[in-house]
Amino acid sequence: MAQRLTRLVKLLVPAGGAKPGPAIGQSLGPLGLNMAEFCKDFNAKTAGHMADVPIPVVMFAYDNRTYDLLLKSPTSSWFIKRCAGIDKGATRPGYETVGYVTLKEIYHIAKLKQRDAHMWMTPLQGICRSIVASANSMGIEVVDDRQQSTEEAET
């Protein structure tokens, strides 16, 4: 007998920090899934990640009370804030700038995001443009570091 998909649940859980609590319990409780088992599986799969990195999880819950986990890379906003060295974005983006990121950092974020299953066929340039737009909407300015690196190479 084939298992039928009951529900698709999306969660944002810190790497290695899944605990059976209200945040996870409200999502898994109505499905009859074992929260402790989910936390153990998730923490085992994210053991290689840095602690407290927010990992988006897509969980496919089936009618026989089993599930499959699909882990994605951390959100673009988390990467951008980390590169800019800030805790939160601007309160008035477009009017104030709270940090700076370079095009090289944007490129590296895009390379990491392209590894996700749903992004493998998206052109890298399109992912970079999306990340630049996210940075601008957070009040973070993207600095072109290509001229600076060529000037340093000439001297």
Side-chain angles (χ1 to χ4, degrees):
M1 182 175 172
Q3 43 184 340
R4 286 189 5 225
L5 181 68
T6 304
R7 188 178 299 166
L8 182 116
V9 180
K10 295 181 180 181
L11 299 168
L12 187 64
V13 185
K19 299 178 193 113
I24 295 174
Q26 290 178 353
S27 300
L28 304 184
L31 301 173
L33 298 176
N34 187 350
M35 286 187 284
E37 183 182 337
F38 166 79
C39 292
K40 188 175 97 179
D41 289 346
F42 177 81
N43 290 338
K45 286 186 177 186
T46 59
H49 289 76
M50 280 179 35
D52 297 328
V53 174
I55 304 289
V57 182
V58 178
M59 185 178 67
F60 302 95
Y62 301 106
D63 59 351
N64 60 355
R65 295 184 184 215
T66 60
Y67 59 87
D68 289 328
L69 294 178
L70 174 65
L71 303 178
K72 297 182 179 181
S73 60
T75 59
S76 296
S77 62
W78 183 83
F79 280 124
I80 293 167
K81 288 188 288 188
R82 181 139 172 114
C83 288
I86 60 171
D87 291 330
K88 67 179 215 172
T91 55
R92 295 179 50 200
Y95 294 99
E96 61 185 7
T97 302
V98 293
Y100 300 92
V101 293
T102 64
L103 284 177
K104 188 174 186 178
E105 291 169 330
I106 296 289
Y107 174 77
H108 288 298
I109 294 170
K111 289 293 278 185
L112 289 171
K113 295 299 284 181
Q114 195 175 33
R115 292 183 191 169
D116 284 349
H118 68 288
M119 300 283 278
W120 71 274
M121 209 163 158
T122 307
L124 195 59
Q125 185 179 10
I127 298 171
C128 287
R129 285 182 181 170
S130 174
I131 294 169
V132 167
S134 295
N136 289 334
S137 70
M138 296 169 61
I140 298 172
E141 188 176 330
V142 178
V143 180
D144 187 0
D145 61 337
R146 293 178 294 181
Q147 294 173 347
Q148 182 180 15
S149 60
T150 55
E151 289 172 2
E152 290 174 0
E154 292 174 356
T155 58

